[in-house]
Amino acid sequence: MENAIEIKGLQTHYGDREILKNITVSIPQGRTTVILGGSGCGKSTLLKHLIGLLRPTKGQIIIKGKDISGLQEDELNEVRKKMGVLFQGAALLNSLTLGENVALPIREHTRLNDSTIGIMVRMKLDQVGLSGFESFCPSQLSGGMKKRAGLARALALDPELLFFDEPSAGLDPVTAAGLDELILKLRNVFRMTIVVVTHELASVFTIADYVIMLDRGEVAFNGTLEELKASDNEKVRMFLERRPEKETYSPDDYFRVIAGD
């Protein structure tokens, strides 16, 4: 199986606190990989490394033969043009309409005329089920619609890599299920490489081809969804069966929680 991303010996510190501990995993091409784990495990920190928002203390993140952890900002921006990101809160600009939000990366990175951009915006909104909503403002939308609008913007430049940060956060079960179905559609129709950070088991069992499970900054499991279900790893079983830990958090674990992992 060809890999889209290779992570080798990744270590991260916040000050003198070690957050990620020698992470070595691969993310397969054209599949949906879920980064799974509880609060404080380091999954959001790992995502920030994958999209180039954080530089590691040590290690490599190789995308298309390039170690992005060592790239200059202009080189990193070229790699990012092939990425789309749906942030947890959708991150729409409230002063712009949906159409203007989706058009923003197209205007920033291409020289297309307004007519062509308008056509592309309508296509992207249609892909996520928001056809006809280009003149609406974010404040006029429900939480699920905002997530879809954020996804339309993430798709604006036809990315090869698509990242989701807790896509189901704040959504009711029905709306979350609809977003899961949209993720499946994008994988099946466009053969995108999709990386989803979540702790929602219902979403994991619906969308995942491959799973990376973190526990306190270390890889507790990596493999296919079927291998995850069959695993006898105690950390995996506790998570899947929703069994609480008896031990208390250390100061390092607490630091990861408040850091937003």
Side-chain angles (χ1 to χ4, degrees):
M1 186 185 302
E2 186 178 353
N3 293 321
I5 304 174
E6 294 184 5
I7 305 163
K8 299 181 179 180
L10 193 70
Q11 296 179 15
T12 302
H13 291 77
Y14 290 160
D16 60 352
R17 307 283 187 179
E18 187 176 29
I19 306 301
L20 297 179
K21 305 173 183 179
N22 197 32
I23 303 292
T24 299
V25 290
S26 298
I27 293 174
Q29 179 85 32
R31 306 293 182 93
T32 299
T33 296
V34 170
I35 301 175
L36 181 66
S39 296
C41 71
K43 58 185 185 293
S44 291
T45 297
L46 178 56
L47 177 65
K48 290 173 184 176
H49 283 304
L50 296 179
I51 60 179
L53 292 180
L54 282 179
R55 302 274 183 171
T57 305
K58 184 180 179 182
Q60 297 177 303
I61 300 170
I62 300 172
I63 300 176
K64 287 191 169 295
K66 293 183 178 181
D67 177 12
I68 68 168
S69 62
L71 295 181
Q72 298 296 320
E73 194 65 24
D74 57 340
E75 296 174 304
L76 183 57
N77 284 336
E78 288 301 311
V79 176
R80 285 190 183 126
K81 289 179 183 179
K82 296 298 183 181
M83 298 179 180
V85 184
L86 175 60
F87 295 98
Q88 187 173 146
L92 298 172
L93 298 177
N94 290 322
S95 60
L96 302 180
T97 65
L98 292 199
E100 290 167 340
N101 268 283
V102 176
L104 199 58
I106 305 174
R107 295 189 187 281
E108 181 72 20
H109 297 294
T110 74
R111 296 182 179 180
L112 298 175
N113 59 47
D114 288 346
S115 177
T116 303
I117 292 174
I119 293 170
M120 292 179 66
V121 166
R122 288 191 291 274
M123 289 174 59
K124 299 308 175 185
L125 287 172
D126 183 59
Q127 284 180 8
V128 301
L130 290 178
S131 180
F133 282 85
E134 53 262 40
S135 63
F136 281 62
C137 292
S139 60
Q140 297 174 290
L141 303 181
S142 67
M145 293 172 74
K146 288 179 182 177
K147 290 286 181 81
R148 288 173 178 265
L151 178 55
R153 186 180 59 190
L155 294 169
L157 295 175
D158 297 319
E160 297 174 10
L161 297 167
L162 188 58
F163 298 92
F164 292 79
D165 184 14
E166 299 282 4
S168 300
L171 301 181
D172 65 83
V174 174
T175 303
L179 193 55
D180 287 342
E181 289 299 319
L182 185 53
I183 292 172
L184 289 173
K185 176 184 174 182
L186 292 172
R187 182 202 63 188
N188 294 336
V189 174
F190 299 103
R191 306 308 303 170
M192 288 181 178
T193 299
I194 298 174
V195 180
V196 181
V197 169
T198 188
H199 62 270
E200 297 286 347
L201 290 178
S203 290
V204 175
F205 294 145
T206 300
I207 66 175
D209 297 308
Y210 196 80
V211 179
I212 299 168
M213 181 174 174
L214 300 183
D215 181 68
R216 302 189 184 192
E218 299 179 297
V219 177
F221 170 88
N222 66 291
T224 65
L225 180 61
E226 290 72 24
E227 290 169 339
L228 178 79
K229 293 177 180 178
S231 175
D232 59 3
N233 181 297
E234 181 62 16
K235 293 290 186 181
V236 173
R237 299 315 321 162
M238 288 178 66
F239 194 91
L240 296 184
E241 296 165 12
R242 302 183 70 216
R243 287 191 276 121
E245 288 189 272
K246 294 181 180 179
E247 55 193 284
T248 58
Y249 276 110
S250 70
D252 281 354
D253 299 325
Y254 175 74
F255 186 83
R256 279 193 291 270
V257 172
I258 63 174
D261 286 324

